[in-house]
Amino acid sequence: MKVFKFGGASVKSAKAVRNVGDIISDYNGQKMVVVVSAMGKTTNALEKILKADSKDFDILITAVENFHNSIINKLFLDLESKIYNRVGTVYKQMRLFVNSNNLDTNKAYAEFVGFGEVLSTIIINQFLLKLGIASIWQDAGELIITEDKYIDARVLWDESSKKISSKINPLFDNNDIVILQGFIAKTVSGECSTLGREGSDYSAAIFANALDAQYLTIWKDVPGLLNADPKYFDNTYKLDFISYRETIELAYYGASIIHPKTIQPLKKKSIPLYIKSFLEPNEKGTTVQKDAFADSMVPSYIIKKNQVIVSLSARDFSFITEDSLSIIFRELNNNNLRVNLMQNSAISFSLCLDNKVQVKDFINDIQQLFKVRYNDDMELITIQNYNQELIDELVGSREVFLEQKSRTTVQLLVR
Ligand code: ASP
Ligand code: MG
């Protein structure tokens, strides 16, 4: 069997949903899990509702309803169709939810944002059935089990794998396609959790791993993985083949094309990942796999903006020792901060971080123990398969604050 993943952009309109139907029809009769995100910008709209004034709930939920209904109206002509009852029930649940819960908690967040994926998968499933495809809707919350944390929760592999294979495999006896929501999960205690924004790619990789899929295809609005972000660079080109390792690094250091956690479950079982364009489904796209020699000498680079460098030194000029490092890392973890690059010397320790509000909290926490210097508005450049010419070109006349080189990758923090 195979796993397909369709993101928000690929299901943002009736035309887009028809296109998804066409792509799936091309694989007629083959067994597939299809993971779908919320339609268009629905997750953002739901996040806004959680922060809104209660007097605006009605207008904002009506907007989400109208958006989905306008897609449904174009896809289903039959007004008696079951689809209206199904989505109608979800709209009711959403209204009830916002009016009877404290929305300012992570628990409420996880319960509410998942409605986007529920709506999109109900619609896609019903549309595939209408095309005559043997498809069935399944709740991903029953399958992916996480630790007891609501947002960006860590997946519990053993529990999840068992549930996934025992629930999904029997569904293939009578169906070709199993439709699942990306992004959502349940905690071990049975409460809603999420895998983090853009987490549907990761969901798809989890299903692929647990079901020993032949491959995972992520359908995007770009032709594949490019060697640089076309928003910032001209003359970018598509990589035909790339290794798991290179892809993890690119995703981790800011390439927004796939969620950074996606690769690890695939790599574990050597499941190839195809990144393909839903606009040109017959083009080859990019293949991510174990050893990808073909492109492995091609330089790829990404720029992560809005970085800060925080330099810590002991107040009394003493050395930065293992126990001071462990305090620093504990505080980073407590503030949910991820280190993009670090460097230490005898008396100082420098960290490059995404400039989030928590950086201020981290500095406040750590200031009692260390002297802190801080610089913001930096860019982190990561180049794979680098050469000096490319480094010079990307750095330009800017100052380099930190630099780290391995055999294949160089990282430079510049301003
Ligand atoms: N719908 C969720 C989001 O927009 C998950 C995803 O799209 O992958 O973040
Ligand atoms: Mg999305």
Side-chain angles (χ1 to χ4, degrees):
M1 55 80 59
K2 310 162 181 54
V3 180
F4 278 7
K5 184 262 170 171
F6 291 97
S10 66
V11 290
K12 67 177 182 191
S13 63
K15 187 173 164 217
V17 173
R18 281 204 189 90
N19 180 53
V20 166
D22 288 344
I23 291 174
I24 294 174
S25 302
D26 283 345
Y27 293 79
N28 194 8
Q30 304 187 34
K31 305 288 180 196
M32 276 196 283
V33 157
V34 175
V35 177
V36 188
S37 302
M39 293 177 146
K41 302 269 178 245
T42 300
T43 310
N44 293 352
L46 298 179
E47 283 186 348
K48 259 200 207 122
I49 295 174
L50 289 169
K51 295 212 175 84
D53 220 78
S54 60
K55 68 170 178 13
D56 297 326
F57 286 164
D58 194 52
I59 296 178
L60 293 172
I61 293 189
T62 303
V64 172
E65 272 187 40
N66 289 346
F67 169 65
H68 288 87
N69 284 346
S70 76
I71 292 176
I72 294 170
N73 292 342
K74 293 183 191 117
L75 295 174
F76 302 90
L77 298 173
D78 171 12
L79 287 175
E80 294 302 302
S81 169
K82 280 190 221 134
I83 183 80
Y84 291 95
N85 291 331
R86 297 245 166 93
V87 294
T89 309
V90 181
Y91 301 149
K92 267 195 208 126
Q93 288 170 338
M94 289 168 66
R95 286 179 193 279
L96 189 68
F97 187 87
V98 293
N99 289 312
S100 53
N101 281 283
N102 168 15
L103 302 183
D104 199 18
T105 65
N106 289 347
K107 180 170 187 281
Y109 176 92
E111 279 178 50
F112 190 68
V113 289
F115 281 121
E117 270 69 13
V118 171
L119 286 170
S120 67
T121 48
I122 290 175
I123 296 169
I124 303 290
N125 181 52
Q126 209 58 40
F127 184 66
L128 294 181
L129 288 172
K130 187 183 142 159
L131 295 180
I133 295 170
S135 167
I136 187 165
W137 185 94
Q138 167 68 39
D139 178 6
E142 284 178 31
L143 306 174
I144 299 184
I145 310 300
T146 68
E147 61 178 340
D148 268 318
K149 188 181 164 199
Y150 301 110
I151 297 181
D152 221 339
R154 204 166 44 85
V155 171
L156 302 179
W157 276 95
D158 290 346
E159 285 89 331
S160 302
S161 297
K162 270 186 220 131
K163 295 226 170 181
I164 293 167
S165 55
S166 67
K167 291 233 164 131
I168 299 290
N169 284 324
L171 295 177
F172 284 128
D173 291 346
N174 297 310
N175 301 281
D176 290 335
I177 310 282
V178 179
I179 301 284
L180 288 162
Q181 310 74 46
F183 179 51
I184 62 172
K186 285 233 166 82
T187 69
V188 266
S189 323
E191 295 184 295
C192 292
S193 56
T194 72
L195 304 181
R197 286 302 309 265
E198 305 302 325
S200 297
D201 294 344
Y202 184 38
S203 304
I206 295 167
F207 294 125
N209 174 299
L211 296 165
D212 291 302
Q214 211 180 318
Y215 59 78
L216 162 63
T217 302
I218 296 185
W219 296 91
K220 303 280 303 183
D221 55 2
V222 288
L225 204 60
L226 305 182
N227 74 319
D229 189 339
K231 260 193 284 176
Y232 306 116
F233 298 100
D234 302 328
N235 309 323
T236 58
Y237 53 90
K238 178 181 77 76
L239 303 167
D240 293 334
F241 295 96
I242 180 168
S243 68
Y244 292 123
R245 186 188 57 76
E246 288 175 303
T247 311
I248 288 183
E249 283 190 351
L250 291 176
Y252 187 86
Y253 290 112
S256 56
I257 185 150
I258 55 168
H259 190 282
K261 287 186 184 163
T262 310
I263 300 299
Q264 188 243 12
L266 301 175
K267 181 172 185 294
K268 263 197 202 149
K269 291 202 168 166
S270 299
I271 299 170
L273 166 64
Y274 302 122
I275 300 168
K276 284 167 69 105
S277 163
F278 58 76
L279 301 168
E280 289 170 304
N282 296 323
E283 295 298 317
K284 269 194 66 100
T286 297
T287 301
V288 184
Q289 61 185 24
K290 206 155 75 193
D291 300 304
F293 293 113
D295 280 330
S296 59
M297 292 320 288
V298 174
S300 342
Y301 41 97
I302 24 174
I303 314 288
K304 206 167 199 270
K305 295 189 186 253
N306 204 16
Q307 300 291 296
V308 290
I309 179 170
V310 181
S311 294
L312 308 169
S313 49
R315 293 203 164 273
D316 56 1
F317 259 91
S318 61
F319 298 136
I320 294 282
T321 55
E322 280 64 26
D323 52 326
S324 26
L325 286 176
S326 78
I327 295 171
I328 295 169
F329 278 97
R330 203 179 52 225
E331 289 303 333
L332 286 166
N333 189 39
N334 289 345
N335 287 295
N336 256 324
L337 290 169
R338 200 180 81 181
V339 182
N340 293 328
L341 196 66
M342 60 190 153
Q343 207 160 66
N344 71 321
S345 71
I347 53 164
S348 89
F349 185 64
S350 299
L351 298 155
C352 163
L353 308 165
D354 290 349
N355 195 1
K356 304 198 283 184
V357 282
Q358 292 94 320
V359 173
K360 293 259 151 54
D361 299 334
F362 167 68
I363 291 176
N364 279 337
D365 293 342
I366 211 99
Q367 222 152 20
Q368 291 127 26
L369 299 165
F370 301 94
K371 209 163 86 197
V372 181
R373 276 176 307 136
Y374 165 99
N375 260 308
D376 61 4
D377 219 10
M378 306 259 176
E379 283 183 21
L380 177 63
I381 304 174
T382 304
I383 314 173
Q384 280 175 352
N385 308 314
Y386 58 88
N387 55 56
Q388 193 55 46
E389 208 182 315
L390 185 56
I391 295 178
D392 293 343
E393 187 189 322
L394 293 177
V395 171
S397 57
R398 292 178 294 178
E399 186 184 345
V400 177
F401 285 72
L402 281 184
E403 173 172 343
Q404 242 164 55
K405 266 186 187 163
S406 73
R407 207 162 33 83
T408 53
T409 307
V410 62
Q411 295 194 285
L412 305 128
L413 188 66
V414 301
R415 188 169 74 174

